[in-house]
């Protein structure tokens, strides 16, 4: 037999109504235990970013690589090496040896350029400083050797990684993608590579290298 509960004023409460009233305190306890809190204060996380990091629009890319031979150089963005499009000018009919040096110098100049405003807004930077030059092999050097006016060991890890990885993806590299690089005068030559871990973390990982025998 079901017992009816009379409330104030003689109004009858059904068992369902009584159960609902009893459940309210329990529901509040459960919500508190789940970390759910009611609030009337609006949440403000600030404005959305104006540009996606390391992302350039088609117009930005066209502006940067509109003249000369299309090439790619490695800039730093979000702690990694990321390619951007550039161009270098090489006179027609340039011999292979001279062409390698001209390409290397053009790439070096592009690396030393301050990134464009859109690139800076997207987070691109460069660690390569201006005024550096590159020349071809000295006597007794391998014919595909390159020499910087600054000894490679004097460069920051990031700058050396930018140079080696940029050269390795260009006509300045050897057939196997490695780069023979040295400094001025009689600075010993070394063969450099650009593995994936260097591209992912150029500030702490320097390009691996091996001595070039007989150079």
């Amino acid at each position: 037999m079901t017992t009816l509960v009379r409330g104030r004023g003689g109004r009858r409460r059904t068992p369902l109504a009584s159960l609902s009233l009893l459940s309210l305190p329990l529901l509040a306890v459960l919500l508190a235990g789940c970390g759910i809190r009611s609030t009337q204060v609006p949440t403000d996380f600030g404005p959305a970013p104006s540009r996606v990091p390391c992302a350039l629009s088609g117009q930005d890319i066209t502006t940067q690589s509109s003249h000369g031979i299309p090439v790619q150089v490695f800039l730093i963005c979000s702690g990694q090496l990321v390619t951007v499009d550039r161009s270098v000018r090489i006179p027609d009919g340039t011999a292979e040896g001279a062409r390698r040096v001209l390409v290397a110098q053009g790439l070096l100049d592009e690396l030393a350029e301050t990134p464009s405003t859109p690139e800076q807004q997207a987070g691109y930077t460069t660690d390569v400083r201006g005024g550096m030059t590159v020349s071809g092999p000295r006597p007794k050097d391998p014919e595909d050797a390159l020499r910087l006016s600054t000894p490679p060991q004097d460069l920051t890890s990031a700058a050396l990684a930018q140079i080696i990885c940029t050269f390795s993806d260009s006509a300045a590299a050897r057939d196997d993608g490695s780069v023979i690089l040295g400094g001025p005068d009689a600075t010993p030559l070394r063969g450099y590579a650009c593995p994936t871990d260097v591209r992912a973390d150029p500030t702490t990982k320097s390009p691996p290298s091996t001595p070039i025998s007989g150079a």
Side-chain angles (χ1 to χ4, degrees), residues 37-64:
R37 298 178 59 186
S38 61
T39 178
Q40 295 181 358
V41 180
T43 303
D44 183 9
F45 294 103
S50 58
R51 182 182 287 272
V52 178
C54 306
L56 294 172
S57 69
Q59 182 177 3
D60 296 336
I61 296 173
T62 301
T63 300
Q64 290 297 106

Side-chain angles (χ1 to χ4, degrees), residues 124-150:
Y124 288 85
T125 61
T126 182
D127 222 40
V128 178
R129 300 295 172 253
M132 199 168 6
T133 59
V134 60
S135 60
R138 290 169 49 85
K140 298 184 180 181
D141 285 351
E143 62 178 8
D144 46 9
L146 297 170
R147 288 188 173 272
L148 297 178
S149 58
T150 299

Side-chain angles (χ1 to χ4, degrees), residues 148-162:
L148 297 178
S149 58
T150 299
Q153 64 268 24
D154 290 349
L155 300 174
T156 65
S157 174
L160 182 59
Q162 284 185 258

Side-chain angles (χ1 to χ4, degrees), residues 167-178:
F167 284 3
S168 69
D169 274 0
S170 74
R174 308 177 78 187
D175 292 340
D176 61 359
S178 63

